[in-house]
Coordinates of all heavy atoms in Angstrom, one line a residue:
L21 N -174.0 97.4 91.6 CA -175.4 97.6 91.8 C -175.8 99.0 91.8 O -176.9 99.4 91.3 CB -175.8 96.9 93.1 CG -175.8 95.4 93.2 CD1 -176.0 94.9 94.6 CD2 -176.7 94.8 92.2
G22 N -175.0 99.9 92.4 CA -175.3 101.3 92.5 C -175.3 101.9 91.1 O -175.9 102.9 90.8
R23 N -174.5 101.3 90.1 CA -174.5 101.8 88.8 C -175.6 101.1 87.9 O -175.6 101.3 86.7 CB -173.1 101.6 88.1 CG -172.1 102.4 88.7 CD -170.8 102.4 87.9 NE -170.4 101.0 87.5 CZ -169.6 100.2 88.1 NH1 -169.0 100.6 89.2 NH2 -169.3 99.0 87.6
G24 N -176.4 100.3 88.5 CA -177.5 99.6 87.8 C -177.1 98.4 87.1 O -177.8 97.9 86.2
E25 N -175.9 97.9 87.4 CA -175.4 96.7 86.7 C -175.7 95.4 87.5 O -176.1 95.5 88.7 CB -173.9 96.8 86.6 CG -173.5 97.9 85.7 CD -171.9 98.1 85.6 OE1 -171.2 97.3 86.2 OE2 -171.5 99.0 84.9
R26 N -175.6 94.3 86.9 CA -175.8 93.0 87.5 C -174.4 92.3 87.6 O -173.5 92.5 86.8 CB -176.7 92.1 86.7 CG -178.1 92.5 86.7 CD -178.9 91.7 85.8 NE -178.6 92.2 84.4 CZ -179.1 91.6 83.3 NH1 -179.9 90.6 83.4 NH2 -178.8 92.1 82.2
E27 N -174.2 91.6 88.7 CA -172.9 90.9 89.0 C -173.1 89.5 89.3 O -174.1 89.1 89.9 CB -172.2 91.6 90.1 CG -171.6 93.0 89.9 CD -170.6 93.0 88.8 OE1 -169.7 92.1 88.8 OE2 -170.6 93.8 87.9
L28 N -172.2 88.7 88.9 CA -172.2 87.2 89.2 C -170.9 87.0 90.0 O -169.8 87.2 89.6 CB -172.2 86.4 88.0 CG -172.0 84.9 88.2 CD1 -173.2 84.3 89.0 CD2 -171.8 84.1 86.9
F29 N -171.1 86.6 91.3 CA -170.0 86.2 92.1 C -170.0 84.7 92.3 O -170.9 84.1 92.8 CB -170.1 87.0 93.5 CG -169.1 86.5 94.5 CD1 -167.8 86.5 94.3 CD2 -169.6 86.1 95.8 CE1 -166.9 86.1 95.2 CE2 -168.7 85.7 96.8 CZ -167.3 85.7 96.5
V30 N -168.9 84.1 92.0 CA -168.7 82.7 92.1 C -167.5 82.4 93.0 O -166.4 83.1 92.8 CB -168.5 82.0 90.7 CG1 -168.3 80.6 90.8 CG2 -169.6 82.4 89.8
A31 N -167.6 81.5 93.9 CA -166.5 81.1 94.8 C -166.4 79.6 94.9 O -167.4 79.0 94.9 CB -166.6 81.8 96.1
E32 N -165.2 79.2 95.1 CA -165.0 77.7 95.3 C -165.6 77.2 96.6 O -166.2 76.2 96.7 CB -163.5 77.4 95.2 CG -163.2 75.9 95.3 CD -161.8 75.6 95.1 OE1 -161.0 76.5 94.6 OE2 -161.3 74.5 95.5
K33 N -165.5 78.1 97.6 CA -165.9 77.7 99.0 C -167.2 78.4 99.4 O -167.3 79.6 99.2 CB -164.8 78.0 100.0 CG -163.6 77.2 99.7 CD -162.5 77.4 100.7 CE -161.3 76.6 100.4 NZ -160.2 76.8 101.3
R34 N -168.1 77.7 99.9 CA -169.4 78.3 100.4 C -169.2 79.3 101.4 O -169.9 80.3 101.5 CB -170.3 77.2 100.9 CG -171.6 77.7 101.3 CD -172.6 76.6 101.6 NE -173.8 77.1 102.1 CZ -174.9 76.4 102.1 NH1 -174.9 75.2 101.9 NH2 -176.0 77.0 102.5
A35 N -168.2 79.2 102.3 CA -167.9 80.2 103.3 C -167.6 81.5 102.7 O -168.1 82.6 103.2 CB -166.7 79.7 104.2
A36 N -166.9 81.6 101.6 CA -166.6 82.9 100.9 C -167.9 83.5 100.4 O -168.1 84.7 100.6 CB -165.7 82.6 99.8
L37 N -168.8 82.7 99.9 CA -170.1 83.2 99.4 C -170.9 83.8 100.6 O -171.5 84.9 100.5 CB -170.9 82.1 98.8 CG -170.4 81.5 97.5 CD1 -171.2 80.3 97.1 CD2 -170.4 82.5 96.4
S38 N -170.9 83.1 101.7 CA -171.6 83.5 102.9 C -171.1 84.8 103.5 O -171.8 85.7 103.9 CB -171.6 82.5 104.0 OG -172.2 81.3 103.5
V39 N -169.8 85.0 103.5 CA -169.2 86.2 104.1 C -169.5 87.4 103.2 O -169.9 88.5 103.7 CB -167.6 86.1 104.2 CG1 -167.0 87.4 104.5 CG2 -167.2 85.0 105.2
V40 N -169.4 87.3 101.9 CA -169.8 88.4 101.0 C -171.3 88.7 101.1 O -171.7 89.9 101.2 CB -169.4 88.1 99.6 CG1 -169.9 89.1 98.6 CG2 -167.8 88.0 99.5
R41 N -172.1 87.7 101.2 CA -173.5 87.9 101.3 C -173.8 88.7 102.6 O -174.6 89.6 102.6 CB -174.3 86.6 101.2 CG -175.8 86.9 101.4 CD -176.6 85.6 101.3 NE -178.0 85.9 101.4 CZ -178.8 86.0 100.3 NH1 -178.4 85.8 99.1 NH2 -180.1 86.3 100.5
R42 N -173.2 88.2 103.7 CA -173.5 88.9 105.0 C -173.1 90.4 104.9 O -173.7 91.3 105.4 CB -172.7 88.2 106.1 CG -173.4 87.0 106.7 CD -172.9 86.6 108.1 NE -171.4 86.4 108.0 CZ -170.8 85.3 107.7 NH1 -171.5 84.2 107.3 NH2 -169.5 85.2 107.7
R43 N -172.0 90.7 104.3 CA -171.5 92.1 104.1 C -172.5 92.9 103.3 O -172.8 94.0 103.6 CB -170.1 92.1 103.5 CG -169.0 91.7 104.4 CD -167.7 91.8 103.7 NE -166.6 91.1 104.5 CZ -166.0 91.7 105.4 NH1 -166.3 93.0 105.8 NH2 -165.0 91.1 106.1
L44 N -173.0 92.3 102.2 CA -174.0 93.0 101.4 C -175.3 93.2 102.2 O -176.0 94.2 102.1 CB -174.3 92.2 100.1 CG -173.1 92.2 99.1 CD1 -173.3 91.2 98.0 CD2 -172.8 93.6 98.6
E45 N -175.7 92.2 102.9 CA -176.9 92.3 103.8 C -176.8 93.4 104.8 O -177.7 94.2 105.0 CB -177.3 91.0 104.4 CG -177.8 89.9 103.5 CD -178.0 88.5 104.1 OE1 -177.4 88.3 105.2 OE2 -178.6 87.7 103.5
R46 N -175.6 93.5 105.4 CA -175.3 94.5 106.4 C -175.5 95.9 105.8 O -176.0 96.8 106.5 CB -173.9 94.3 106.9 CG -173.5 95.4 108.0 CD -172.0 95.3 108.2 NE -171.3 95.8 107.0 CZ -170.1 95.5 106.7 NH1 -169.4 94.8 107.5 NH2 -169.5 96.0 105.6
D47 N -175.2 96.0 104.5 CA -175.3 97.3 103.9 C -176.7 97.5 103.1 O -176.8 98.4 102.3 CB -174.2 97.5 102.9 CG -172.8 97.6 103.6 OD1 -172.8 98.1 104.7 OD2 -171.8 97.2 103.0
G48 N -177.6 96.6 103.4 CA -179.0 96.8 102.9 C -179.1 96.2 101.5 O -180.1 96.5 100.8
L49 N -178.2 95.5 101.0 CA -178.2 94.9 99.6 C -178.6 93.5 99.6 O -178.6 92.9 98.5 CB -176.9 95.2 98.9 CG -176.5 96.7 98.7 CD1 -175.1 96.8 98.2 CD2 -177.5 97.4 97.9
G50 N -179.0 92.9 100.7 CA -179.4 91.5 100.7 C -180.5 91.1 99.8 O -180.4 90.0 99.1
P51 N -181.5 91.9 99.6 CA -182.6 91.5 98.7 C -182.1 91.4 97.2 O -182.8 90.8 96.4 CB -183.6 92.7 98.8 CG -183.3 93.3 100.1 CD -181.8 93.1 100.4
F52 N -180.9 91.9 96.9 CA -180.5 91.8 95.5 C -179.5 90.7 95.3 O -178.9 90.6 94.3 CB -179.8 93.2 95.1 CG -180.8 94.3 95.2 CD1 -180.8 95.1 96.3 CD2 -181.7 94.5 94.2 CE1 -181.8 96.1 96.5 CE2 -182.7 95.5 94.3 CZ -182.7 96.3 95.5
C53 N -179.4 89.8 96.3 CA -178.5 88.6 96.2 C -179.4 87.4 95.9 O -180.4 87.2 96.7 CB -177.8 88.4 97.5 SG -176.6 89.7 98.0
L54 N -179.1 86.7 94.9 CA -179.8 85.5 94.6 C -179.0 84.3 94.9 O -177.9 84.1 94.4 CB -180.2 85.5 93.1 CG -181.0 84.3 92.5 CD1 -182.3 84.2 93.2 CD2 -181.1 84.5 91.0
E55 N -179.5 83.5 95.9 CA -178.7 82.4 96.4 C -179.1 81.1 95.6 O -180.2 80.7 95.7 CB -179.0 82.2 97.9 CG -178.1 81.2 98.6 CD -178.4 81.2 100.1 OE1 -179.0 82.1 100.6 OE2 -178.0 80.2 100.7
L56 N -178.1 80.5 94.9 CA -178.4 79.3 94.1 C -177.6 78.1 94.5 O -177.7 77.1 93.9 CB -178.2 79.7 92.6 CG -179.1 80.7 92.0 CD1 -178.6 81.0 90.6 CD2 -180.5 80.3 92.0
H57 N -176.9 78.2 95.5 CA -175.9 77.1 95.9 C -176.4 76.2 97.0 O -175.7 75.4 97.4 CB -174.6 77.7 96.2 CG -174.6 78.5 97.5 ND1 -175.0 79.8 97.5 CD2 -174.2 78.2 98.7 CE1 -174.9 80.2 98.8 NE2 -174.4 79.3 99.5
S58 N -177.6 76.5 97.6 CA -178.0 75.7 98.7 C -179.3 75.1 98.6 O -179.8 75.0 97.5 CB -177.9 76.7 100.0 OG -179.0 77.6 99.8
N59 N -179.9 74.7 99.7 CA -181.3 74.2 99.7 C -182.3 75.2 99.2 O -183.4 74.9 99.0 CB -181.6 73.7 101.1 CG -181.6 74.8 102.1 OD1 -181.1 75.8 101.9 ND2 -182.2 74.5 103.3
R60 N -181.9 76.5 99.1 CA -182.8 77.5 98.6 C -182.9 77.6 97.1 O -183.5 78.5 96.5 CB -182.3 78.9 99.2 CG -182.4 79.0 100.7 CD -182.1 80.3 101.1 NE -183.3 81.2 100.8 CZ -183.3 82.5 101.0 NH1 -182.3 83.1 101.5 NH2 -184.4 83.2 100.7
S61 N -182.3 76.6 96.4 CA -182.2 76.7 95.0 C -183.4 76.0 94.3 O -183.4 75.8 93.1 CB -180.9 76.1 94.5 OG -180.8 74.8 94.8
S62 N -184.4 75.6 95.0 CA -185.6 75.0 94.4 C -186.3 76.1 93.6 O -186.1 77.3 93.9 CB -186.6 74.4 95.4 OG -187.2 75.4 96.1
K63 N -187.1 75.8 92.7 CA -187.8 76.8 91.8 C -188.6 77.7 92.7 O -188.6 78.9 92.5 CB -188.7 76.0 90.8 CG -189.4 77.0 89.9 CD -190.3 76.2 88.9 CE -191.1 77.2 88.0 NZ -191.9 76.5 87.0
S64 N -189.4 77.2 93.6 CA -190.2 78.1 94.4 C -189.4 79.0 95.3 O -189.8 80.2 95.5 CB -191.2 77.3 95.3 OG -190.5 76.5 96.2
E65 N -188.3 78.6 95.8 CA -187.4 79.4 96.6 C -186.8 80.5 95.8 O -186.6 81.7 96.2 CB -186.4 78.6 97.4 CG -186.9 77.8 98.5 CD -187.5 78.6 99.6 OE1 -187.0 79.7 99.9 OE2 -188.5 78.1 100.2
V66 N -186.3 80.2 94.6 CA -185.7 81.2 93.7 C -186.8 82.2 93.3 O -186.5 83.4 93.4 CB -185.2 80.5 92.4 CG1 -184.8 81.6 91.4 CG2 -184.0 79.6 92.7

């Protein structure tokens, strides 16, 4: 992200996604995470 690139992180377990997202949020990068694996994946939420 610091180099202006986009990344796709895929994990088999939702817990792994959550841990990585929390770490990114802690470092101020939460707004750049797009969550598509949960109830937030409706069109309006995206």
Side-chain angles (χ1 to χ4, degrees):
L21 289 173
R23 291 190 318 265
E25 297 177 0
R26 290 175 282 178
E27 289 297 314
L28 173 64
F29 170 52
V30 178
E32 184 176 342
K33 296 182 181 176
R34 184 174 177 164
L37 296 170
S38 297
V39 169
V40 170
R41 181 179 181 99
R42 277 195 309 273
R43 289 181 187 276
L44 292 169
E45 286 172 344
R46 179 192 67 202
D47 293 332
L49 298 173
F52 300 98
C53 297
L54 181 61
E55 188 175 344
L56 297 175
H57 68 282
S58 70
N59 61 344
R60 296 186 72 186
S61 61
S62 72
K63 181 179 178 180
S64 62
E65 289 295 329
V66 169

